[in-house]
Amino acid sequence: MKRKREYDFWLLFTVMVLLAMGVIMVFSASSYYAAYNWNNKFHFLIRQLLWSCVGLVCMFVISNIDYRRLAIISPVLMLISIVLLILVAIPGIGAKYNDARRWFNLGFTTFQPSELMKLSLIMFLSFSLAKNSGKLRFFFRGLVPYLLIVGFVDLLLLLEPHYSCAVLITLVAVVILFCAGARIFHFLAIGVPTIAAAACLVISSEYRLQRFLAFLDPFADPQGSGYQAVNSLYAIASGSIFGRGLGKSLQKYLYIPEPQNDFIFSIVAEELGFVGAFTVIVLFLLLIWRGVRISMNAPDMMGSLMAIGITSLVAIETIINIAVVTATLPVTGMPLPFISYGGTSMLFVLASMGILLNISRNSVNNFNPVRGSELLKRARQGEG
Amino acid sequence: MKSSKRKNIKSMHHKTASKAPVDLKSVRKKKRAEEIPNQPNTGMLKRREFFMLLVFTLSLFFMLYRVGFIQFVKGEEYQKKAYYTQTQKRQINPKRGTIYDRNGKGLAISASVDTVSVNPNALRSELNNDPGELQELAEGLAEILDMDAMDVMKVFNRNSRFEYVKRKIDRELGARVRNYVVQEKGIKNIYIDEDSKRYYPNGSLAAHILGFTGIDDQGLAGIELKLDATLKGMPGKIMNEVDVLGRPISFSKERYVEAVDGYDVFLTIDETIQYFTQKAIEQAALDYNLKRGAAAIVMNPNTGEVLAMASYPDFDPNHPDAKPYFVDNPEWLGFASVEDTELLWQTVFRNRAVNDTYEPGSTFKAITAAAALEEGVVTPETTVVCKPYSLAGHTINCWRAGGHGQEDFTHAVYNSCNPVFVQEALAVGIEKFYTYVRMFGFQKRTGLEISGEPTDEEYRNLWHKEPKEIDLAVTGFGQRFQISPIQLASAYCAIANGGNLMKPMLVKQISDSNGNIIQKFEPQVVRKVISEETSKTIRTILEGVVSEGTGKNAYVSGYRIAGKTGTSETLQTESEGRYVVSFAAFAPADKPEIVVLLVLDHPQVAMHLRSGGILAAPVAGKLCEDILEYLQVERQYSERDMKEMTEEVYVPSLVGLTVSEAIEKLKAYGLKYVVEGSQAEDAVVKDQTPKADFSIPQNSTVIIYTEGSPENNMVPMPDLTNKTVDEATATMKNLGLNIRIRGEGMALRQQYEPGTPLQKGEVVDVEFMLLIAD
Ligand SMILES: [Zn+2]
């Protein structure tokens, strides 16, 4: 049943367009910042180009490796990720930056083990659930062991600390478990107390509380806790319909700290306006649609779960990032996939796209949105 | 077309190729899933994956909505805020317009100066936040600017993008700062921008008209305040889009909105006439110890232009809050203190010619006379009787006890007879009289372009509300109501110019900095008040007042001055000497070119001297003379002038001549002589008094010495006070002294104090004055 098929064209197209936009926008957003800090306005452009190329190569290589073979080594990857996460939290090994120990300094670049963990966990969950999805209906026998694994990973991430990644990994894991058949009631039973606990956690820490309050009204302290949100809003608002024009952002003049990173979307909105923001969001919608389509057409459950996991990883990152820059969520360190500047993270995003492309090549390709509803109806009748 | 077709075929192929087997497979799997728990449920998997697609899609649509909301609903608000943080603005002050006098002489000028400002945030970043370097810069700058380095540091450390370091410094100093900051230190974020500073080259000249300005060049008083909008121009600005540290962004062009200079204002004021006027009241204030100051107005009666307007005490608008001369307070704070500021506004800043009101007294009789003559109730020749007049239980007396008896109306004006004016006012009648009052512009603002004139209502409140006969009677000779000096001066213009009430004007023209006329103000007739005929009649009568009547002390030989004295006792203050003496005049009487009003408030002199005729008239006469001379009005000497004029001669040098030669020479000069020592004809003259080339009146006596010396021939100066001209001349002659007579009447002042030892033959100036009670 191994038919060599084509890549999913639209997925590949979207990734390439987003990458191209990313390179352009990183250059536009970072040039002044780079000139200010490195005396070289091409500093980030060169690196972004380099990582994009390396990433693309990586993506094409991986797209040619059968995902099932990759899945088999996922327990090993998982173990490596856990070891690296523990190592990075040890002072002296992990590099500290902004009060968090998340990076290995490799000299020529930095490497975040959490990036590897995201992918490892998705693969491991898919690999494991493909065999054990039937048990998921049971709480203790099925769901809890997986939640414990996720919880353990979260714990390691909290040591760094890296809250946003913990939240992201948890959400992605929940999506995978949900799609694999876990009961909604079980999620509620765990989710509601967890959210309550999280609320307590926010209130208990002055720092987190401040961040949260700043999110509610960034203009209360525009020079302090609300600074990033306020300047992001200024940038977006300045864009209007068609934007100031490429390269003409004013907020990138150090008003937005590290404008090439997490807040790059606001620079896009400022320079390219609503039209630009709309384009980026539509590109992501396209990507997510193709991703979900691939997952629905995957030849087996493992491929399907891996595809939905990778897709939701990109989707959730995108949603949280845009929510943060539009002051819809509190400020947290979440890059915009493909577009934000990021060395190794770019590598991992493209690697995961490679996996997705490989799954699409193995796709049974029978999904059609119109026919899909009929299919669902029939499936429901079959269940009943 | 082609591609879509191919796509259709492809999808068709997919459907047919894979639909059936998958369906079967999924159904089979589902069935198995129920039996074997480890088998996946593919249907639910796809359903839930599709559900996630919906969740993500909706979330992203919500994000799109958020972007739209921020851009279109909140857009304007945020953009405005963003603009303020992204833009640095430096204001360029426009050059404030110059205020010129009528001949184009600058009275208020804006000089170019420099202002030093700083962008503290950018400066600190420019110096890499090195406190040592910052301190060094602050110290260097403080030394040049004569400031405290601590204060400069405070400015440098502010979290701000714009602060002043020092404003309005000399350009020379500004150049030194520029040299230090830019050349020496290479600092970019300290700016030395052009600014302008108001200064008044003539100090207190026309201070009350000009007013003064504040630190931001804003007008705070006078014309500076009234025409602030015209003078100030439009400020320009330098706008830069800057980065977070305040450094200009490279691609953003420095937007430079040029300042528009203010318009220049040409006043009707004549700098020279203003100077004469101010000097005159200043001297009067010193001579008479005026407790409540003085005011004077000079107008052109034909146009209503104010040629001069002065008020005393005055101030220097270059330093408006300097301590006035009459204040002793050693802790004077000026504008920094509310009390001091209040005091300034109550005293030196008060433009008494416009802001203050007073009882005009007899100067108002000109208006009564005009009404009576115009209404035909009297002619200049009409016989009237000056004797105490009883009305409603009051008796009105003339200033001369018992009155002047029978006289014609002309002489009643010369003598300023109150009972006569009561009769004439009553003859005109209440209604008509007050109509004339209003026609002459009283009870209403004149509308002079300067702030501080009372309102119409305030003016009306200073008059009787519903006048009865007794009110009319006292109004007829100018008492129990108040007017402002500018009102009376305007009314005199109407009397002098043939009967037209002119709107008094202070501003002649407004032009831009290139000299293009923006607005020109033309003389404006408010209304015709009296006929040309009546005007002419009054002009003649008032000329007589000066040449023969109570205004004699204003007489100037060669100039035909007409005028009227005024003395009133004010009820406003209880203090001693609560008199206001005044003189209203115009000249030349036949063809008036100037109207002069002089008001002296609370003179502190001997009781019998407190009258307009004694105090105000001579000052006004001298002022008229100065102005007419300046206006190059030719003197026309009357016969009487010629007779009264004593010619001066220069004493010839007699030393070395024989006595006979000397006597002959003196005779030729019209001088008398006394020989001291040997009277022999051939005796040689050794010395003389007065010395050669001295100017002395004709008929004076020159003492020639053949023996002895003038130093041994001294006499004490006698006291001539209250002596008549003849008495004083005789006294001086008896002592061997010469007299130079100034004026007529009683001796008021003499050049030397009584008892001063003088050489025989010396010439002493003696001032005479007619003692007039009005
Ligand atoms: Zn009389």
Side-chain angles (χ1 to χ4, degrees), chain B residues 386-387 398-400 402-405 407 411-412 415-420:
Chain B
C386 171
K387 62 171 191 190
C398 187
W399 56 273
R400 181 202 267 188
H404 292 82
E407 56 191 343
H411 279 83
N415 294 328
S416 198
C417 294
N418 284 354
V420 175

Side-chain angles (χ1 to χ4, degrees), chain B residues 241-260:
Chain B
E241 275 148 356
V242 290
D243 74 4
V244 81
L245 300 167
R247 297 171 306 182
I249 287 170
S250 53
F251 75 76
S252 96
K253 261 219 174 122
E254 188 170 77
R255 268 170 296 162
Y256 190 95
V257 179
E258 208 156 331
V260 180

Side-chain angles (χ1 to χ4, degrees), chain B residues 534-709:
Chain B
T534 307
S535 167
K536 202 172 165 188
T537 309
I538 300 185
R539 288 204 299 258
T540 313
I541 296 174
L542 293 184
E543 187 185 1
V545 169
V546 174
S547 57
E548 295 173 41
T550 50
K552 262 188 180 169
N553 287 325
Y555 188 82
V556 175
S557 66
Y559 285 133
R560 296 175 62 183
I561 296 172
K564 185 74 196 79
T565 58
T567 309
S568 61
E569 202 175 344
T570 164
L571 303 173
Q572 283 175 328
T573 55
E574 292 298 314
S575 65
E576 223 260 319
R578 53 187 186 190
Y579 286 85
V580 178
V581 299
S582 58
F583 195 82
F586 50 87
D590 54 335
K591 200 174 161 291
E593 289 186 28
I594 54 166
V595 162
V596 172
L597 173 63
L598 187 74
V599 180
L600 309 176
D601 208 344
H602 282 57
Q604 307 291 297
V605 294
M607 195 64 203
H608 69 283
L609 297 178
R610 285 173 195 166
S611 81
I614 295 172
L615 300 182
V619 179
K622 180 76 175 64
L623 180 57
C624 285
E625 184 181 12
D626 287 345
I627 296 170
L628 292 171
E629 220 163 47
Y630 163 73
L631 293 176
Q632 295 177 322
V633 173
E634 227 174 293
R635 290 191 198 241
Q636 299 168 318
Y637 294 102
S638 64
E639 260 175 56
R640 183 181 135 203
D641 291 338
M642 304 296 262
K643 202 178 77 191
E644 283 181 2
M645 268 195 301
T646 42
E647 267 182 52
E648 296 258 324
V649 289
Y650 291 102
V651 180
S653 177
L654 306 172
V655 178
L657 301 179
T658 61
V659 170
S660 60
E661 283 168 338
I663 291 169
E664 211 147 309
K665 205 160 193 181
L666 287 173
K667 276 182 180 163
Y669 274 80
L671 294 168
K672 295 179 182 142
Y673 62 92
V674 169
V675 183
E676 295 277 335
S678 166
Q679 309 280 321
E681 285 188 4
D682 54 354
V684 177
V685 176
K686 288 180 180 158
D687 207 341
Q688 66 181 76
T689 305
K691 298 274 182 288
D693 294 336
F694 249 70
S695 172
I696 59 172
Q698 261 181 356
N699 288 326
S700 296
T701 304
V702 176
I703 318 283
I704 44 183
Y705 294 90
T706 52
E707 282 163 26
S709 74

Side-chain angles (χ1 to χ4, degrees), chain B residues 674 676 689 703 705 708-715 735 758-761:
Chain B
V674 169
E676 295 277 335
T689 305
I703 318 283
Y705 294 90
S709 74
E711 287 76 23
N712 296 326
N713 201 9
M714 310 288 276
V715 287
L735 285 169
L758 298 171
Q759 293 176 13
K760 272 192 178 175

